[in-house]
Amino acid sequence: IELISGDPVAGIDRAAKTVTSRSGRAISYDKLMIATGSDPFIIPVPGKDLPGVVTFRDLDDVEKMLAAADLGGNAVVIGGGLLGLEAAHGLSLRGMQVTVLHLMPTLMERQLDEAAGWLLKTALEGRGQTILTGADTAEIVGDGKVEAVRLKDGTEIPADIVVMAVGIRPNVALAKEAGLAVGRGIQVDDDMVTSDADILAVGECVEHDGNVYGLVAPLWEMCRSLADGLVAQPNGYRGSVTSTKLKVSGIDVFSAGDFSGGEGCEDIVLRDATRGVYKRVIVKDNKIVGAVLYGDTADGN
């Protein structure tokens, strides 16, 4: 395996079957795999380009956050999903005053139902963080550097650093430029082949059957299907049922399937307030269709 780093790919020539890098290096291929992942989404608000506004995606971002934390002061994290809460926890541990702004009514609404989201909010507030839900950012204020975040209701929160963790978007620029079929992500079939028979794609950059996954687990399943397809033993990818098991600031959380409930669904709920445990299983037609475990995730698997 030859690894070339620090020299990003500038273009793909499908007719000549070559990949050209920024420095002008051209490499030919028989099969090409694109695994460009995703890019952090930046909210298009005034002040988003001020020094002190960072995303939370790679080690460079972490270095910036560590440098800011060394100076102390106020940190505002925009986004109360998994990444945002991890960033908030890290900055809080390093002595910053942290405020989390989340647009939705409950934290981590993709992984947690309302009750578990509320428990998480209460636990994080107990650790000294300020959590504002239903908070819509209007602008980032500052002269030459970040000084505050202003919400649409006029509230202003002082900030020495602003971390944007509002979500990710499939990185499809290269594929689009090369003329591959792109929807929300690079479109692939069950063997992870794109609209060009010699180009494959996996991971957060792909769209399979209308689905885009922003998690690592589906990637392993995609890679197995891709490898089987390449050696002519197709074992097609059929999509992933995602389950998430994580520690948010030391609190165990697990969720899987569809926990929205509704018509024809039965809810089985266990609440143990003293232990800080909440478990909810959603059953439909005698099958488990979703689950949320908070505080004790031993039964997750």
Side-chain angles (χ1 to χ4, degrees), residues 5-291:
S5 58
D7 187 13
V9 172
I12 299 165
D13 184 336
R14 288 165 52 198
K17 295 181 84 165
T18 56
V19 168
T20 308
S21 73
R22 187 165 64 192
S23 70
R25 186 194 313 242
I27 298 168
S28 60
Y29 66 83
D30 296 315
K31 295 279 183 191
L32 174 67
M33 183 173 95
I34 300 176
T36 44
S38 45
D39 293 321
F41 176 63
I42 307 282
I43 327 177
V45 291
K48 65 178 170 48
D49 299 320
L50 282 171
V53 178
V54 298
T55 52
F56 183 21
R57 194 68 185 149
D58 57 29
L59 280 174
D60 292 347
D61 298 330
V62 174
E63 295 296 336
K64 287 177 195 159
M65 286 159 68
L66 291 174
D70 287 345
L71 300 171
N74 299 299
V76 171
V77 176
I78 302 177
L82 172 60
L83 273 181
L85 295 181
E86 288 298 350
H89 181 55
L91 292 168
S92 175
L93 285 181
R94 288 178 168 266
M96 294 194 87
Q97 287 297 311
V98 179
T99 303
V100 176
L101 306 177
H102 192 50
L103 183 60
M104 304 309 261
T106 57
L107 292 177
M108 284 178 63
E109 71 285 344
R110 282 188 171 169
Q111 288 89 6
L112 301 179
D113 63 9
E114 208 173 316
W118 183 82
L119 285 170
L120 181 61
K121 178 176 186 273
T122 310
L124 295 176
E125 287 171 335
R127 293 170 189 205
Q129 296 180 31
T130 304
I131 312 273
L132 302 179
T133 51
D136 199 350
T137 304
E139 68 173 307
I140 295 165
V141 184
D143 187 6
K145 68 174 185 54
V146 166
E147 288 164 17
V149 174
R150 186 178 297 133
L151 301 183
K152 285 191 176 161
D153 67 5
T155 312
E156 212 162 281
I157 300 132
D160 299 294
I161 181 172
V162 173
V163 180
M164 285 231 193
V166 284
I168 52 176
R169 274 193 177 153
N171 181 352
V172 297
L174 262 181
K176 219 176 204 163
E177 227 165 81
L180 296 175
V182 171
R184 283 194 304 150
I186 305 168
Q187 293 173 335
V188 293
D189 67 11
D190 292 355
D191 297 319
M192 312 315 293
V193 179
T194 66
S195 55
D196 180 322
D198 293 317
I199 302 182
L200 309 115
V202 291
E204 292 183 355
C205 64
V206 308
E207 175 186 329
H208 173 269
D209 235 359
N211 291 313
V212 174
Y213 300 97
L215 295 163
V216 75
L219 176 60
W220 307 130
E221 297 171 17
M222 290 176 187
C223 287
R224 279 188 207 105
S225 299
L226 176 138
D228 290 343
L230 283 178
V231 295
Q233 295 176 356
N235 177 20
Y237 176 67
R238 300 274 179 261
S240 297
V241 175
T242 53
S243 68
T244 318
K245 185 174 186 177
L246 24 116
K247 255 191 172 18
V248 184
S249 321
I251 301 157
D252 286 309
V253 169
F254 173 91
S255 84
D258 176 12
F259 47 82
S260 55
E263 194 71 34
C265 290
E266 182 190 355
D267 272 11
I268 303 164
V269 177
L270 166 89
R271 276 194 179 85
D272 184 339
T274 46
R275 278 170 58 223
V277 171
Y278 166 82
K279 301 183 182 188
R280 175 168 166 240
V281 175
I282 299 89
V283 179
K284 188 173 187 179
D285 301 329
N286 285 332
K287 286 197 178 78
I288 294 180
V289 292

